[in-house]
Amino acid sequence: MTLLDAVIFLPLAAFLIILALPKENFELIRRFSLGASVVTFVASLGLIGPYWFRNPGKFVFDTDLPWIASPPIHYHVAIDGISLWLVILSTLLTPICVLVSWRYIDKYVKQFFAFLLLLEFGLVGVFCALDFFLFYVFWEVSLVPMYFLIGIWGHERRIYSAVKFFLYTMTGSVLMLVGIIYLYNQSGTFDYPRILAGLQSGSIALSSQAQLLLFLAFFAAFAIKVPLFPLHTWLPDAHVEAPTAGSVMLASVMLKMGTYGLLRYCVPMFPAAARDCAGWIVTLAIIGIIYGALVAMVQPDLKKLVAYSSVSHLGFVVLGIASMNVQGVQGAVYQMLNHGVSTGGLFLLVGMLSDRRHTRLIEQFGGLKKVTPHLVAAFLLVTLSSIGLPGLNGFVGEFLILLGSFRSDVLGPRMTAFAATGVILSATYMLWMFQRVNYGVVTHEENRNLPDLDRREWTVIVPIIAMTVVMGVLPNLFLKPMAPSVDRVLSLIHREGSVRAEVRQRSGAGR
Amino acid sequence: MTALIFFIFAGLAVFCGINLVVQTHPIASALSLIGVMASLAILYLQLGGEFIAAAQMIVYAGAIMVLFVFVIMLLNAGAEGPSREGSRFAKYMGIVLLAAFLGLISFIIQAMLPASEGVVFGSFQGGTAAEVGRKLFTFYLLPFEVTSVLILIAIVGAIVLARKEL
Amino acid sequence: MQNAVPISWYLILSAILFGLGVAGFIYRRNIITVFMSIELMLNAVNLTFISFSYKLRQVDGHIFSFFVMVVAAAEAAVGLAIILTVFKNRETLMIDDISSMKY
Amino acid sequence: MNLWLIPILPLLGFLINGLFGRRLSKTMVSLFAVGSVALSFAWAVKTLFGLGALESKYVEHYFTWIQSGALSISVDFAVDRLTAVMLMVVTGVGLLIHIYSIGYMAEEDGYYRFFSYLNLFMFFMLVLVLAQNFLVLFVGWEGVGLCSYLLIGYYLLEQFATDAGNKAFIVNRIGDFGFSLAIFLIVRQFGSLDFSKVFDAAKGMPAEHSAGILTAVSLLLLVGATGKSAQIPLYVWLPDAMAGPTPVSALIHAATMVTAGVYMMARSAALFTNAPIAMDTVAIIGLATAFFAATIGLAQTDIKKVFAYSTVSQLGYMFLGAGVGAFSAGIFHLMTHAFFKALLFLGAGAVIHGLHGEQDLRQMGGLFKHMRITAITLLFASLAISGFPFTSGFFSKDAILVAAYAHAPWMYWIGVLTAGMTAFYVFRAWFLAFTGEYRGHAHPHESPLVMTGPLMLLALLSLGGGFINVPHWLEPMFAEKAENQALAWLSAGVGVAGIAIAYVFYVAVPGLADSFAKSMSGLYKLIYNKYFVDEVYSAAVVQPVVKGSRFFLWRGVDAGLIDGIVNGIGTRSRGIGGVLRLLQSGNIRSYAAWVVLGSVVVLLAIGFAGGAR
Amino acid sequence: MTGSFNAIVPMACVTAAALAAMVAEAFREPGERLPIAGLGFIGLIGAAISAVLLWNHDVRSFGVVAADNFGLFVTLVLVVVGLLSIAISGPTIERERLPEGEYYALMLFAIAGMMLMATATDLLIIFLALEILSLAVYVLTGIRRASRRGTEAALKYFLLGAFSSAFFLYGVAFVYGLTGSTRLDRIETIASQPGSALPLVAIGLLLVGFSFKVSAVPFHMWTPDAYEGAPPAVTGFMSTGVKAAAFAAFARVFMTALAPLRDDWSSVLWVVAAATMILGTVVGVSQSSVKRMLAYSSIAHGGYLLLALLSANDVARGAILFYLLTYAITNLGAFGVIAVLETTERANDTVRDYAGLWSARPALAALMTIFLLSLGGFPPMAGFIAKWYVFSAAIKAGYPGLAIIGVLTSVVSVFFYLRIVVMMYMRDDGTPAVFPPVPALAGAALSISAILIFYLGILPTRVLTWAAASLITRF
């Protein structure tokens, strides 16, 4: 029983306890969920320890217990410098989501918070699991509560969106399931490190065609989750219809399951196939970046705009991963966190606005700066972080990713230039939106007396703001612990001789 | 002689079978079925099935068919009316499928037994009541007991479904 | 015996009768006749058993057809009871009328 | 020497005012805002004195910012002679403008907001100036852009102000796009972003290797510089940026931020000088911008717009200077421009302030008697920008023009022509505002001392700033030459001629200007409407992108195609289901037929599989 | 040839219970309430105990009944089916005023028949067992005599069942003719001789007969109608029990006796399995009656089982057994919820009727969700492990294509399971539906099912080990 186990199972325990709480006592339920999630968060901070002090680069907090005897399925969890931050991101955002739902959720309160904690359990689990079977279980476990969060507490078209979300992601994940089973049949184990070692040593021999198909099976699941163009259309719907907490968890953490999967499983296991497909992946990612930005620009709905911006931002992450060098990958991981913080923050703020006005249409706002200055100030900061202003978090990620892709042999300068236009476009749509919402005169009477941030909302937004600044100014706090792990992943990716020598030299210079 | 008997009764059986299918009144069909059964009983006898031929007449034709006729009478079932919209699929596909099915089975039977021996009356005499009884109560004891349960179920079922009160 | 009938002819006869049973099932519209078609099919099977029994010089086939008869009797009891309840509910024995549940 | 104090002080001012300003009195806000900049200025002065002659670069290392693989980017500040000039300009002019703003902004609400943004700007500008590597420079670069955005949109009730802010930011982003690609290229080539390392490596490169890569880097950097310094084709944001409060125009859009491009090119001189093609491009862009902006300036009626186009034009000069290799002249002009252009704007601000917000020259006139200090200080600034002998502009502009002549004489001639136009339109503005009869309806009054004080100080600098021999000071950094007294006098003469023509048009023979404009109405309209560049951009880029995104990408591809396919699979499979369920006809006979069909198929298939055994 | 009687003890227990139920009913005073269901429980538990005692002993009786682990596992599954079915039958019997004694007796007889079918190693016994369970289930289907749909369902089921039995029997006849025996061991011996002349027509006809009972496409036509018309408890019973028994026999025949001829039947079964999975899910999507929808889902699940059967490797055997167990629990749970919700006034059978169930009966809605998600194959529910096991078998056997069809159809199937979930949780408008109270016994059964689903989903090792150990004995 390590600290990690505690972090994984605390939310589950809290979930079960909430189920036992009396359903009329809203305040108790809220307080309990808050307490539980905060405790989880604090516990998860302890996970940084080994990375900060010794920085082994390999998996720590390793727990490997047999779960199902035959086939040999283990409860095998551990984290490295990459998953560490994603775990912390999940645990950080959960209490925030609890807080933001405090008053907004007024029916089925108990179930809401229960689902939220169950979701946390699933998400944390996904990032820690090292057994494919376990991974898949967590993967799907996280799906169900989100489905309910959207479907029960969402807005008008919630059902369509919830079902779309569910089916879309499930389609991908079942293909991954086939891949997992196939891999098991070849290797006789579900243990990720062992499979990896087998693939590396050649003791699990796969034809290149099999590798390609397996890669695609895994890729399908992850690409839908990311989501990569053109598999993204579930995302705007789900985001728009979800309650604020749902949108936040979805955008901030759930999408990262896809990119995390790519980085952890897809590419390191089948580097050759990944390299073969890299051109396509990169093309899709770049299309996603530009396309998402352009479509975001013309959205009339705030949440939809943010949702499409996620498509764009996640395109950057995929780009970073596909560049397969140290800057690209570090940037990708960093951008995952950034996007979690910034887009999470945006959804929180948009949620606060729509709580006040019960609409998310941009044209229904305008002139808020005079009415709710604090909220708008926070909004501005988060917007700036989202468009990658240097000094705030978004910049570091985008910089590293683009740098990585620039230096990568897969992408190179020309592709990178295309991708970098996304930076221009992001400024365009975000600032335009910001202007329409906050500047000008108040055009709708209803907006004239909106309340500014209250104490609870301050509590929600301050951590986000703090994170944007800290991550922008001191990125090394985060980069340093992840660096050895990223190096490990990269050494896996570049393990075969198929990499052209000059390329290796070039990326070696940067390492 | 054997061949003659075969042809007569096989022909009768097929005729009655066709009649069963063609007749629109259930009583006519029932009587045709009894005809088939009787013809088959003769053929059974020819193949050495003394016991089974008797059982065919007593149990099948005698008991089961009487039940049928009884129900037909009870329900006062008349001739089928003019054809109403039924299953067009069944109507058109049926005959094709049937032909295919028959052809297949016959082909397979021919292929299976290319040079089968001729049937000689009396060359197999294992079908006597004694033989049947001996085997039935030793080797086939369990199935025999099982059928008792089967019949019990049939009784219970029939009662449950058909009893008056409730 | 030159003019003896080969055993396969018996089998083909049974196949024809089986086919006629199937035809009756598909083409007859009165439920009772349809049910009788099933009996015809069972008879055809019985003939197959007996024929094989002759060929194998075994009594087992006879016993099988005896069991088939028992089964047929049981089926008849239950089946006719079901037909009775259907008739009570609908006052019809036309099989095409019994199709309220579909799709 | 704690260089970090220089930018951090304004940042503190920003934090205090930004977080608590709402609750502080205006006095306190001004105290923190101006005080922090004053301290920063003082600390800068003290530091520079402490560092003395700055024979070599002085570097302070603080912490590693980004460490990724072998690439390590640290937050370092450095001072060399170039930085020293910039530091003084930024903190000095910045301080004056802060003081001025106390008066100018006194009536505005959101006072604290203004000062906090201004302080934030100072912070980023100083970071930009002090940066010792490209990325930190980039931080400052984007940061000042942000502040520019915020301050342009300061009057946030006005649609055009916030539009202008967006435009500024986005156009700058286009420039930054190039800049960031340049940074990537530098990393790829040199493995570092540290100025010393990169420039040493660049200098050490054999020419045949260096030309291509350095040209590429330089051109990309140039893209960034054109964005920030409002050069063709990205100048369009600057005139609109005048929507911000006037002190902002003075500080950001005249004196400091817009010159960042020039500074950056001067900083990267080691790259540019080895890339002749890039240098020529810089010069041509600068020259073209100078000329075209000047022509536009001829016909503007908004006093701030006139000065805005003049800023664009003057920045063109600086580019020209850089492009012909006269970096020190460029920086020199940068400094003098900071003085006189800040003064022009502040003076214009004083006029606007005195007229309660009126900016249209046609609504002014005869203001000399109402606001003498403003008029006189503005006159000095106008002289300086016109290159009137022995004013600051005379020295710096001529340094550039002389260098241009040495590079290519035709550049010189265009430059001189532009100088004439500059003199003309600046004095046109001055005459229209201060001479003749008052045409407006407000009650003009002179500004308080807190505003006129800075004006007077800047007037002094505009007049005497030319005697600060910046080129000499920068000599160790940029090897330079080119002295030609005759040419200098010639261009000064053209300037004086421009002033004279303006006098004729607007004072001596009133009405001449109008008839002249009428006689050339086509050209006039073209110029008055700034060559319709904004319209062309809008029609060629903005509208297609927005409309295309809305109707093609969003409605078409996203909702139509992709979701169409997805939902299509859904409805189709439901449709298939709907068709297949019809097989379930409810009819027993049909079911039986299916069973038979199945049997036949099974038998046939098994027959085939078994090879008809 | 009699040998030990032990192998038939489990079914004897159940038969005895059935007889006891009949006797009890016969001696019941009008209006008196007797715990007849309790008799059923006793009999079933007796069967379970005897099955457990027989575990690993590989006893056989009469040469035709083999109490090997495979059969015993199915027996235990059938015990579970029986217990749950009886438990959820209460509301229907009560409401429809059905003859309690006969109802339970028939159900127990059917279970006995199923057990016999699962353990039989002789085609004749399989046929007789098939008839036993079929006859009982026909009657149960039509036991609501006054219901038009119930009787129609019974008629359809009966006629088609008898029709397909004839096909099956015809197949048995051919097998007999060619091997001189109906015993599986004998058949296998002959089948494995090189150039064996075992008639393909026999295989085909047996396949048709079994396919009908497991409602594989295109022999599935009776299923939706019969499931819709029968009382929900009976539907649950037949969708699980009949399926389990039929699959056990199907597997026993095809995985042992006809295994040597695998090449001949595997391609047909491939197509049948694919068609079954696809049709079951695709048509299920367009249903509005919950029972009908679950009928199609049950067809699809049959497809997954066929996939395991087709794979015919050691994984597949365990997979079939585990799948049968989880499917039995899950599906009975779902039908239990339906049974509980039915009222005399309202069938509450359309998807729309489930609107607002969550606010009215949250526990019931939660249970239904668990059942549906398990049917959809979601971790950590048992259905996931089961599906995973099946696909695992398929991939191992070299049928990745079918496995992909399987996973994709399971996605589609999730769509229609979700429709119910959507209704229960997300549609809260409209008039509040009237839902009857939940009887204690049924409620307990449903809760236990849910717990079992989680148990099998989270800690499946023990049961998986049993299932994996249940090899079909070679004779």
Side-chain angles (χ1 to χ4, degrees), chain D residues 46-283:
Chain D
K46 177 183 174 289
T47 308
L48 291 181
F49 274 108
L51 291 172
L54 275 173
E55 292 301 340
S56 64
K57 191 175 243 186
Y58 167 74
V59 183
E60 281 185 7
H61 173 75
Y62 301 113
F63 62 93
T64 304
W65 184 29
I66 298 173
Q67 167 86 49
S68 180
L71 176 70
S72 171
I73 297 161
S74 46
V75 176
D76 299 341
F77 286 158
V79 178
D80 59 7
R81 292 189 168 196
L82 175 60
T83 305
V85 175
M86 292 303 292
L87 266 184
M88 291 329 296
V89 170
V90 172
T91 52
V93 177
L95 176 60
L96 290 176
I97 293 174
H98 269 76
I99 296 170
Y100 172 92
S101 304
I102 298 175
Y104 187 85
M105 299 301 290
E107 309 300 317
E108 307 283 346
D109 50 311
Y111 188 76
Y112 75 97
R113 189 158 57 89
F114 177 83
F115 275 105
S116 62
Y117 290 167
L118 218 52
N119 275 352
L120 185 64
F121 169 78
M122 291 299 290
F123 165 71
F124 279 121
M125 192 67 209
L126 290 167
V127 166
L128 192 161
V129 168
L130 287 167
Q132 169 58 12
N133 63 47
F134 278 103
L135 208 64
V136 175
L137 186 143
F138 191 71
V139 171
W141 183 271
E142 285 252 325
V144 292
L146 164 71
C147 298
S148 156
Y149 159 77
L150 292 171
L151 285 164
I152 294 169
Y154 177 76
Y155 295 117
L156 41 80
L157 298 182
E158 310 290 348
Q159 170 85 28
F160 70 84
T162 50
D163 276 350
N166 283 352
K167 189 172 177 184
F169 198 93
I170 291 160
V171 173
N172 265 300
R173 265 281 158 116
I174 297 173
D176 297 348
F177 164 74
F179 195 167
S180 41
L181 289 183
I183 291 178
F184 301 145
L185 202 51
I186 290 169
V187 176
R188 188 163 95 158
Q189 189 62 30
F190 302 105
S192 172
L193 283 173
D194 188 89
F195 287 144
S196 314
K197 284 187 193 145
V198 171
F199 299 149
D200 289 348
K203 280 178 196 144
M205 281 174 91
E208 64 270 23
H209 287 169
S210 69
I213 188 80
L214 290 183
T215 305
V217 169
S218 304
L219 285 175
L220 286 169
L221 286 176
L222 173 63
V223 174
T226 55
K228 190 101 309 184
S229 294
Q231 297 297 294
I232 288 173
L234 300 180
Y235 71 91
V236 286
W237 64 272
L238 185 58
D240 286 9
M242 297 306 133
T246 308
V248 172
S249 310
L251 178 60
I252 301 183
H253 305 122
T256 52
M257 182 189 89
V258 288
T259 59
V262 181
Y263 166 74
M264 186 262 280
M265 290 197 296
R267 175 60 68 201
S268 318
L271 306 176
F272 276 89
T273 44
N274 289 324
I277 297 172
M279 289 292 271
D280 287 343
T281 315
V282 173

Side-chain angles (χ1 to χ4, degrees), chain E residues 373-391:
Chain E
L373 286 179
S374 178
L375 283 175
F378 256 84
M381 272 64 126
F384 167 66
I385 305 272
K387 265 194 187 148
W388 169 81
Y389 214 2
V390 165
F391 297 139

